[in-house]
Amino acid sequence: MIKKEDIILNFKTAIASTIKSLSKKENVEVVFGNEKNNEQTDVIFLPDLNKENKINFLKIRALADSESLKLRLSDTKIYKIFEPRGNISKELYSVAEKIRYEVLGSKEFRGVKKNL
């Protein structure tokens, strides 16, 4: 019988590999919950799987895919240049950017479209 810890470890490994592949960045670090961060430039934070009684694997995959696409398709420098002033404008701008990179990623990757 497979232990819960083994399932979680295998899932974490698969998610980390998927993130590196989707983002096209080998140096991206995936942090689950309060795990140690090695202060790399590209970090994706995901929920702590060990504290969850019932793990929503689909939600975590969707979050991981979205964050991977952000690293791959969104340029922080350009984003900051065109970022508007005002809280509501910034929020709308952020949502529009998220929609942009998720739509582009969904068109390119069938599995991502299914997860999102």
Side-chain angles (χ1 to χ4, degrees), residues 1-2 11 26 46 49 59 67-68 70 76 86 98 106:
M1 184 170 174
I2 300 175
F11 184 72
E26 281 296 317
L46 297 173
L49 301 179
K59 182 178 177 182
E67 292 299 313
S68 300
K70 181 178 181 180
T76 307
K98 182 173 180 154
S106 294

Side-chain angles (χ1 to χ4, degrees), residues 64-76:
D65 285 354
S66 179
E67 292 299 313
S68 300
L69 292 172
K70 181 178 181 180
L71 286 176
R72 180 181 183 139
L73 300 170
S74 186
D75 187 325
T76 307

Side-chain angles (χ1 to χ4, degrees), residues 3 5-6 14 35 56 68 70 76 81 88 113 115:
K3 294 184 207 175
E5 295 82 26
D6 292 337
E35 290 179 358
N56 188 341
S68 300
K70 181 178 181 180
T76 307
I81 289 171
I88 295 173
K113 182 177 183 178
N115 289 342

Side-chain angles (χ1 to χ4, degrees), residues 21-42:
S21 176
L22 275 177
S23 67
K24 285 191 170 180
K25 297 188 179 208
E26 281 296 317
N27 65 341
V28 66
E29 183 178 357
V30 182
V31 177
F32 291 90
N34 295 327
E35 290 179 358
K36 191 175 180 181
N37 177 3
N38 291 335
E39 299 298 324
Q40 293 182 348
T41 52
D42 295 322

Side-chain angles (χ1 to χ4, degrees), residues 66-67 70 74 79-80 82-84 86-102:
S66 179
E67 292 299 313
K70 181 178 181 180
S74 186
Y79 182 86
K80 289 290 184 191
F82 293 102
E83 187 175 39
N87 292 336
I88 295 173
S89 297
K90 283 183 180 184
E91 187 66 29
L92 290 172
Y93 182 69
S94 174
V95 169
E97 175 63 3
K98 182 173 180 154
I99 291 169
R100 185 192 69 79
Y101 61 73
E102 286 183 353

Side-chain angles (χ1 to χ4, degrees), residues 6-23:
D6 292 337
I7 293 171
I8 291 173
L9 182 61
N10 290 340
F11 184 72
K12 285 180 176 182
T13 303
I15 288 290
S17 296
T18 302
I19 287 172
K20 288 177 182 183
S21 176
L22 275 177
S23 67

